[in-house]
Structures are given as structure tokens and as C-alpha cells.
Amino acid sequence: MSFAEEQYVIRGGKPLEGEVVIAGAKNAALGILAAAVMTDEKVTIENVPYVSDTRTLLKAIENIGATVEYLDKHTVVICGKGIREGQPVDDEYIRRIRASYYLIGALLGKHKYANVALPGGCDIGSRPIDLHIKGFEKLGAETEIVSGGSIVAQAKELHGAHIYLDTVSVGATINIMMAASLSPGKTTIENAAKEPHIVDVANFLNTMGANIKGAGTDVIRVRGVEKLHGAEYSIIPDQIEAGTFMAMTVATRGNVLIKNVIPKHLEAISSKLVEMGAHVIEYDDSVRVMADGVLKATQIKTLPYPGFPTDMQAQMAAILGLADGTSIVTESIFENRFRYVAELARMGAKIRVEGNSAIITGTKKYNGATLRATDLRAGAALVIAALAANGVSNIENIQYIKRGYEEFADKVSALGGMMKVAENEQEVTKKKLELASNL
Ligand code: UD1
């Protein structure tokens, strides 16, 4: 069996009920795991989500000489001592995930030399890394793209700098913050991204001895230190996994307690769900989401944090397709992030894309269909739609979804959703029949 053959088989129509525990934040984990190799001492990281993106990055880190030991499913001990200076970082793992670019900032800071294969990841339009490179150059590095598609960044000496980011970029902010931590002098990053995972990576680096202030605001100040040391750190909960379960609860008119979250990080999502007619009750580290009856249309525009997250755009569109009235969803971060629209249309959704907006006319019910995930969050949107649909759906290309959702089918099943993993086409047919007859 190849991974590409795996599919989800989902029968819709059951309101989700119960409790779900959210994993650690994937996007924080990717920055933190890369930053962990910046010291030669041991680093213990807890609450690492067990998803394919983190496992892939850990394989890549291991392949360049670090040791990686899983103490349990969510706790990893990393030691970057064995990483050979000057060695190119290039293998099948590095090229599989976009966040491997964090190894440029990490290794440039640590060894003043990084040679890292260019990133892959989800195909959601052109995703340049010019701002990362500009930042490294301001810190004193020379950079070039060498044959075979790798980036080399090197410096005799790094130094602090004043860096203004033309566009708010999560990746550039984290990458520059890492390299600047080991660049002597003062660095200021202006127009920095403010996402919760920026704060988490900064907190982690500070636990390792870095001196970073202002993370979570748009001006981050870093005072370079000579070296970093070992640390123990626990990753924050995943805002997007939580948001996905919130949207899924609303789509199925369910009632779910979503545990291990930071409600503040979910405010943009909660407020849109409330506008749609759902109820969201916030507790210290959980939220309860409830919905019944008719959902109302609304307008959403994706923006950098604290605005509405682009990584929740597709999931919201999936539920707005079932709301009463016309909604407009505007994507202002990435181009080409509406590829799921054609898939939802196969289920009966009425969505028209005009420029960077999707105009959604609500329909009463989706119908089950054979669907294809086009990227991670688009895939999550299809799972939501399928759980709300009449009949049985199967979703192909779930390797995208597994990049960011831990034990997705198990978590949904525990809430009463009818979702199974099928390993190949024959199993898809078998599981579809099983689910269809399970009245
Ligand atoms: C990260 C997240 C991704 C999320 C995105 C926006 C990770 C691993 N991924 O992606 O899930 O969707 O933030 O919240 O954390 N840009 C440039 N030049 C650059 C870098 C970015 O022009 O050098 C542009 C991008 O094309 C995009 C915008 O800046 O239009 C924001 O991208 P960015 O925040 O960098 O996204 P990622 O870090 O790739």
C-alpha cells in the first residue's frame, strides 16, 4: 500500500457530540524543532503534534547528524551536537515540507553557514522566500541559490540589524528571529508577524538563552547572544486544529467541548461562528461549541493575526455553503487558495470565485461524493462538508490532511462522526457499504 492510496470514507448527518483534546500547534512545532538544533545541548520538547509534517522535519534533522529520541508520542529529545558544519541539507524529507526553510535561519545562526534545499509544502500559489533572504542579508550573510535548487547563506560574521518586512510574514519573522538570536548586537524586526506561534518560538528561544522581546507585537527586538543552551519546553495548542473542530461541530449542528486550547487565539474564529448563529462558551483552557437550526451567512476576510486566519478560510467556506443567504470570503494572504471550491461544488455547494473572493450562496444540504484534497486545509474543509452531507463520501489524497491533523479519523469517531480510513480502493468500496448500511 502506498500512502497516496489511503482515503477517508465518511458518512454525514450525525451531530458531533462529546469532548476532543487538541494537539500541539504544528506551525509552532516546526519552528521550535528546527530551533532546537541551534544548541549542542539536549533539548526536550513536549506537546509535539504527532503529524506527518513534524515527523518529516525530525527525520530531516536526524539525517544531518542530530539525535532525535521520542520519549513518548508527544515528547521529543533533540541534540544538535552531531550536526556537521558546512554539510548541505538535502534529502527527500527536506524537500517534502516547506518549513524546512527554518533550518536556514537555525544553521546560519549556529554555524554562519547554511545550505538547504528549497522547500516544498502545500501548493497554494506562489510562496516566495525573498523576505527571509533579505533579512539574512541584513544580518550580514551572503546568499545564493545554487544548482539543484538549494539556498546557501553564509557569513564571516553576523551582526544585528534593523529589518523592515514589506509584507507580514510568519516564516520570515521566525527565520530572522532565529538567526538574529546568535548575531551579535541588536536586531529590530519591524512589521513582524504576531501569530501565536511567533510568540511560542520566541519563548522557546528565550528558554534556550536567547534575548528576544516584543514577540506578539509588530516590533520584535533581539539582542544577540553568544550561544544557546539546553531547555525543556511545551508547545502551545493548535489554533487551527481547534478551529477545524469548532467548524465541524457547527456544520453537524453538534455540541462539543474542545479541550486544551487557548481561547484568546480562537477569538477571530469564535466571533464568526457566533455571527453565524452558533454558541461558543469560553473556559480557561477549553471552548464549548453548540449549534442548532439555521446558520446565517456572513463575510470573512483573511488577515494576519489577530485577523481571521487564512488556514481556516476553506473550513469556514464549507460551513457557509450551508448557511442561509449569501456570504463572501476574501483571501488576502495567498493566491490560489480556492482550489477546494470545485470539490465542494461536486457536493452541491453554490460557490463562485471572483478574483480573491468566493461568493457563496447557501444550500440546504450537501450530497456525499468522491472528493480530492488539494492541500492540507482544503482537505479539512472536505472532511467538514462530508460530515454534514447526506450519504457517504470518500476523500482522496489524504496525505495532505495527515500533514497537520493528528489521528483525525479517531478523534472524529470519538465524537460520534462516521469517518474511517481505507487503505486502498477495495477497502473504500467495503467501508462505503458498511457506512451506508449502518443506519
Ligand atoms: C505560515 C504557515 C501557514 C499559514 C501562513 C499565514 C507555517 C509552517 N506555515 O506560512 O500555515 O497559512 O503562515 O498565516 O507556519 N511572502 C513574501 N515573501 C516572503 C515570505 C512571504 O512575499 O519571503 C508573502 C507570501 O507570499 C504571503 C504572505 O507573505 O502572501 C504571508 O506568508 P507567510 O506568513 O510567510 O506564510 P508562511 O510562513 O509560508
Side-chain angles (χ1 to χ4, degrees):
M1 187 227 17
S2 83
F3 283 123
E5 287 177 41
E6 270 193 335
Q7 298 189 28
Y8 289 138
V9 182
I10 294 172
R11 177 169 172 195
K14 251 187 118 187
L16 298 190
E17 276 169 12
E19 296 181 0
V20 63
V21 179
I22 297 305
K26 169 185 85 83
N27 286 347
L30 294 171
I32 287 170
L33 295 174
V37 305
M38 294 175 71
T39 170
D40 284 344
E41 296 177 18
K42 275 191 179 175
V43 173
T44 305
I45 304 164
E46 294 166 9
N47 208 28
V48 179
Y50 197 73
V51 293
S52 70
D53 262 13
T54 53
R55 280 179 290 153
T56 302
L57 183 61
L58 285 169
K59 281 271 180 222
I61 286 172
E62 216 169 11
N63 280 358
I64 57 170
T67 57
V68 173
E69 187 194 348
Y70 267 100
L71 291 188
D72 59 47
K73 201 167 178 188
H74 299 112
T75 309
V76 181
V77 180
I78 296 175
C79 181
K81 192 170 177 197
I83 295 178
R84 294 167 289 280
E85 279 193 55
Q87 188 204 351
V89 184
D90 185 6
D91 63 17
E92 53 166 322
Y93 298 107
I94 282 289
R95 288 187 185 260
R96 222 183 274 166
I97 50 167
R98 187 171 160 75
S100 45
Y101 59 38
Y102 287 141
L103 288 171
I104 310 175
L107 295 178
L108 177 65
K110 188 179 186 194
H111 296 316
K112 317 287 169 265
Y113 179 91
N115 177 343
V116 179
L118 280 173
C122 278
D123 178 12
I124 51 174
S126 102
R127 295 176 76 175
I129 57 166
D130 55 308
L131 294 170
H132 305 230
I133 290 173
K134 249 194 197 163
F136 298 144
E137 288 178 349
K138 285 256 182 174
L139 294 174
E142 282 177 14
T143 64
E144 68 174 319
I145 295 178
V146 294
S147 64
S150 291
I151 292 195
V152 176
Q154 56 190 324
K156 278 212 178 65
E157 293 298 332
L158 293 169
H159 51 73
H162 188 103
I163 298 164
Y164 176 83
L165 298 178
D166 305 326
T167 307
V168 178
S169 161
V170 170
T173 304
I174 290 179
N175 229 342
I176 295 168
M177 216 163 60
M178 291 201 285
S181 293
L182 290 174
S183 302
K186 278 195 246 170
T187 294
T188 310
I189 308 170
E190 283 204 63
N191 202 26
K194 297 182 280 203
E195 268 67 5
H197 39 293
I198 306 275
V199 180
D200 211 33
V201 177
N203 286 342
F204 170 64
L205 285 165
N206 283 344
T207 311
M208 289 207 298
N211 184 344
I212 302 171
K213 297 204 168 95
T217 75
D218 48 18
V219 183
I220 297 179
R221 293 176 208 282
V222 186
R223 192 178 275 275
V225 297
E226 207 173 303
K227 58 191 247 193
L228 300 173
H229 54 70
E232 281 181 27
Y233 195 79
S234 181
I235 294 172
I236 54 165
D238 197 300
Q239 174 202 24
I240 306 300
E241 189 198 5
T244 301
F245 275 97
M246 292 168 82
M248 198 182 278
T249 305
V250 173
T252 63
R253 310 298 197 274
N255 178 345
V256 175
L257 183 67
I258 299 164
K259 294 168 82 169
N260 186 33
V261 300
I262 298 175
K264 174 125 196 62
H265 296 168
L266 302 173
E267 271 171 4
I269 302 163
S270 301
S271 78
K272 285 295 155 190
L273 293 175
V274 168
E275 268 176 49
M276 292 180 69
H279 304 278
V280 179
I281 307 170
E282 290 182 4
Y283 303 100
D284 285 350
D285 59 359
S286 59
V287 289
R288 180 173 291 284
V289 179
M290 293 169 285
D292 51 24
V294 177
L295 300 174
K296 287 178 276 193
T298 190
Q299 324 293 322
I300 294 177
K301 183 175 184 187
T302 64
L303 286 168
Y305 189 84
F308 193 89
T310 173
D311 285 354
M312 276 300 297
Q313 186 254 102
Q315 299 91 313
M316 291 302 283
I319 51 175
L320 288 171
L322 295 167
D324 189 27
T326 301
S327 302
I328 299 178
V329 173
T330 303
E331 172 57 55
S332 64
I333 310 286
F334 292 113
E335 44 184 87
N336 198 17
R337 215 173 184 181
F338 287 123
R339 295 207 302 163
Y340 61 87
V341 164
E343 299 300 308
L344 288 182
R346 290 140 63 76
M347 306 180 82
K350 297 194 187 101
I351 310 183
R352 199 174 76 240
V353 177
E354 278 183 21
N356 64 345
S357 293
I359 294 130
I360 305 171
T361 309
T363 181
K364 286 241 152 25
K365 205 75 191 166
Y366 292 146
N367 293 309
T370 293
L371 305 163
R372 178 172 290 236
T374 52
D375 67 61
L376 164 58
R377 305 305 171 183
L382 299 181
V383 170
I384 292 172
L387 285 166
N390 278 329
V392 181
S393 300
N394 56 305
I395 303 178
E396 299 169 354
N397 272 357
I398 65 168
Q399 73 276 11
Y400 283 121
I401 306 176
K402 293 174 113 187
R403 291 185 40 204
Y405 291 90
E406 180 177 315
E407 292 168 351
F408 208 12
D410 289 345
K411 286 188 178 182
V412 170
S413 301
L415 296 171
M418 291 183 277
M419 174 166 171
K420 296 183 182 217
V421 181
E423 295 201 342
N424 50 42
E425 278 297 338
Q426 290 95 308
E427 267 205 31
V428 170
T429 313
K430 195 170 137 230
K431 295 201 168 170
K432 273 181 137 175
L433 283 171
E434 276 171 23
L435 284 179
S437 57
N438 175 17
L439 289 166

